[in-house]
Amino acid sequence: MADLFADDSAAKAAQGAPSPDGPLADRLRPRALDEVVGQEHLTGPEGAIGRMVAAGKLSSIILWGPPGTGKTSIARLLADAVGLRFVALSAVFSGVADLKKAFAEAKEFARTGKRTLLFVDEIHRFNRSQQDGFLPFVEDGTITLVGATTENPSFELNAALLSRAQVLILHRLDEEALSQLLDRAEALAGQPLPLDDYARAALVASADGDGRFLLNQAETLFDLGLEEKLDPAGLARLLQRRVAVYDKDREGHYNLISALHKSLRGSDPQAALYYLARMLVAGEEPLYVLRRIVRFASEDIGLADPQALVQCLAAKDAYDFLGSPEGELAIVQACLYCATAPKSNAAYKAQKAAWRSARDTGSLMPPQSILNAPTKLMKDIGYGSGYAYDHDADDGFSGADYWPDGMGAQAFYEPVNRGFEAKIAERLAYWDGLRRERQAKD
């Protein structure tokens, strides 16, 4: 194990000073925390990382954020800032043997007073048992763990591991931060990018918040040695736009469907259409989105506009018939219809209340008067006796009591005064008045 104690200055130099022939993104990697762009809420004097560095004490952390936002750079700089040995692993390429080796080496260094920062990229890729393997070494101080993930830690990481680490959220790089990266790239290259102002703005927009992608695109433009400045159309012909980050079984999926649902509920057809487009353009299964809109038609519109559910089911039939992309217009129509329809969750609330009451009341028998009597015995014991046939009443309403004995009348469904439900509310009030009148006479 003697080589573990060697101070490999060449390796350190290589780590701190990238090769001049390396990728532009590596050559522009920040050398200090104050050079990290777009994450000042963490790295600034009042940020969690800034405070840790000022105190000279680093706790285990999970860096959660989109690709290309500086997670790896921050981890490296943290090790330097608090004087820890830096070791990096990727959960994509590492296994149990790599972890055991890293832990063993960290223990040896700890005996000499040198603590280790173990950086684990894509930590969510480790399974639950592998994640549990970190716990004893984090608890006894053998390692300070810095994990990086693009996925929501609440879903992907063990609760036990999360309880021992602070989750820090990195933001998607905004236009200002991305522009700073381009300025640094031009300064390093000693020349401006061959772009007019509009093309430069288009290049920044194409990065979708990913600094590494932006710098890779800039490097391609420098390598081409163009003499004429490109406009946005010329830039588009040369470079491919970055595909939006969207995993259909991960957090991006749930964030967008939540945004779509709440935009529909908020009666904002423009925002709803935007989130619908975000999902479909990124490759979401159209029928999944349509199923959610159908559910919305019942949950958030209901009888305020009974046509909403009809429109959604018609859109499903149209999509089944036409497929993509033609059938997607029917989904757009259903989306816009629901966004602009009057809203009511009265049916949704009624279902919840009725289901709860059914569970609570168990097996109460309905009144005998409204039970069928297909046999003589059932007639003899009173089934169907005294049933008031509503159509025999002049106004088509008997006002009978349909609730089980021992259970008073309940009000599960309370329509709102919007859309078609306003008329339903009038009918219910009318029938309630008749019922009270007839009960008073009885």
Side-chain angles (χ1 to χ4, degrees), residues 254-273 275-276 279 292-293 296 299-300 335 338-340 343:
Y254 296 108
N255 286 346
L256 289 183
I257 198 63
S258 176
L260 172 62
H261 194 122
K262 290 179 175 64
S263 300
L264 290 169
R265 181 180 291 154
S267 300
D268 189 335
Q270 319 302 343
L273 191 57
Y275 290 117
L276 174 68
M279 298 186 80
R292 292 300 298 259
I293 297 175
F296 177 89
E299 179 178 340
D300 287 278
C335 174
C338 288
T340 55
K343 305 301 188 296

Side-chain angles (χ1 to χ4, degrees), residues 8 32 54 115 122 125 127 134 148 150-151 189 200 230 257 276 279 324 329 336 378 391 396 413 419 431:
D8 190 345
R115 293 185 61 209
E122 303 289 341
R125 301 286 189 122
N127 62 38
F134 289 100
T150 56
E151 303 300 330
R200 186 186 179 90
L230 297 171
I257 198 63
L276 174 68
M279 298 186 80
S324 290
L329 183 58
L336 293 175
M378 296 170 76
H391 295 292
Y413 175 54
W431 287 328

Side-chain angles (χ1 to χ4, degrees), residues 30 133 253 337 388 400 419 424 429:
H253 161 87
Y337 191 99
I424 296 176

Side-chain angles (χ1 to χ4, degrees), residues 57-68:
K57 188 172 174 126
L58 180 65
S59 62
S60 290
I61 59 177
I62 302 296
L63 299 174
W64 171 30

Side-chain angles (χ1 to χ4, degrees), residues 88-145:
L89 292 176
S90 169
V92 176
F93 302 110
S94 304
V96 173
D98 301 293
L99 290 175
K100 287 182 177 178
K101 180 181 177 184
F103 296 147
E105 291 180 354
K107 275 188 174 292
E108 292 295 330
F109 274 100
R111 292 192 183 103
T112 69
K114 186 70 171 176
R115 293 185 61 209
T116 298
L117 184 155
L118 178 61
F119 173 66
V120 182
D121 198 16
E122 303 289 341
I123 191 170
H124 62 277
R125 301 286 189 122
F126 279 136
N127 62 38
R128 300 286 174 173
S129 61
Q130 288 172 319
Q131 291 178 30
D132 284 340
F134 289 100
L135 300 180
F137 301 100
V138 170
E139 287 176 342
D140 67 13
T142 298
I143 62 167
T144 297
L145 174 66

Side-chain angles (χ1 to χ4, degrees), residues 42-367:
L42 296 178
T43 59
E46 300 303 316
I49 289 175
R51 289 179 180 274
M52 288 181 195
V53 170
K57 188 172 174 126
L58 180 65
S59 62
S60 290
I61 59 177
I62 302 296
L63 299 174
W64 171 30
T69 52
K71 296 185 290 294
T72 302
S73 293
I74 288 174
R76 289 182 180 277
L77 295 171
L78 274 174
D80 290 340
V82 296
L84 297 182
R85 168 177 171 263
F86 181 84
V87 176
L89 292 176
S90 169
V92 176
F93 302 110
S94 304
V96 173
D98 301 293
L99 290 175
K100 287 182 177 178
K101 180 181 177 184
F103 296 147
E105 291 180 354
K107 275 188 174 292
E108 292 295 330
F109 274 100
R111 292 192 183 103
T112 69
K114 186 70 171 176
R115 293 185 61 209
T116 298
L117 184 155
L118 178 61
F119 173 66
V120 182
D121 198 16
E122 303 289 341
I123 191 170
H124 62 277
R125 301 286 189 122
F126 279 136
N127 62 38
R128 300 286 174 173
S129 61
Q130 288 172 319
Q131 291 178 30
D132 284 340
F134 289 100
L135 300 180
F137 301 100
V138 170
E139 287 176 342
D140 67 13
T142 298
I143 62 167
T144 297
L145 174 66
V146 177
T149 178
T150 56
E151 303 300 330
N152 190 327
S154 301
F155 302 144
E156 303 296 335
L157 299 184
N158 283 0
L161 186 58
L162 285 177
S163 71
R164 292 162 176 81
Q166 184 177 357
V167 176
L168 302 181
I169 301 173
L170 280 75
H171 294 164
R172 175 182 181 274
L173 298 188
D174 60 16
E175 182 179 345
E176 180 181 353
L178 293 170
S179 295
Q180 287 182 48
L181 290 181
L182 286 188
D183 291 342
R184 293 180 187 179
E186 291 174 324
L188 183 65
Q191 59 178 311
L193 285 162
L195 304 172
D196 66 22
D197 291 343
Y198 298 107
R200 186 186 179 90
L203 179 64
V204 168
S206 75
D208 194 25
D210 186 332
R212 187 186 305 109
F213 177 86
L214 179 70
L215 292 176
N216 289 342
Q217 297 287 65
E219 185 169 26
T220 299
L221 290 170
F222 283 132
D223 290 344
L224 290 174
L226 301 173
E227 296 182 2
E228 299 287 332
K229 286 188 175 182
L230 297 171
D231 60 12
L235 178 68
R237 285 193 294 269
L238 276 178
L239 301 177
Q240 292 294 317
R241 185 178 179 88
R242 184 176 186 271
V243 176
V245 176
Y246 184 81
D247 291 320
K248 287 189 280 185
D249 61 343
R250 298 190 183 275
E251 198 203 7
H253 161 87
Y254 296 108
N255 286 346
L256 289 183
I257 198 63
S258 176
L260 172 62
H261 194 122
K262 290 179 175 64
S263 300
L264 290 169
R265 181 180 291 154
S267 300
D268 189 335
Q270 319 302 343
L273 191 57
Y274 168 73
Y275 290 117
L276 174 68
R278 280 277 301 274
M279 298 186 80
L280 295 183
V281 167
E284 181 57 78
E285 170 58 46
L287 285 175
Y288 167 78
V289 181
L290 190 50
R291 281 194 294 271
R292 292 300 298 259
I293 297 175
V294 170
R295 165 68 183 191
F296 177 89
S298 292
E299 179 178 340
D300 287 278
I301 298 175
L303 291 174
D305 185 347
Q307 278 297 312
L309 186 58
V310 176
Q311 286 278 335
C312 291
L313 293 176
K316 184 261 183 188
D317 289 341
Y319 183 80
D320 282 343
F321 184 55
L322 296 173
S324 290
E326 291 86 352
E328 291 173 11
L329 183 58
I331 302 177
V332 168
Q333 180 176 328
C335 174
L336 293 175
Y337 191 99
C338 288
T340 55
K343 305 301 188 296
S344 169
N345 69 343
Y348 174 74
K349 291 168 66 177
Q351 181 201 11
K352 295 291 186 184
W355 264 236
R356 183 168 55 251
S357 181
R359 286 191 294 267
D360 292 344
T361 55
S363 304
L364 291 179
M365 283 289 290

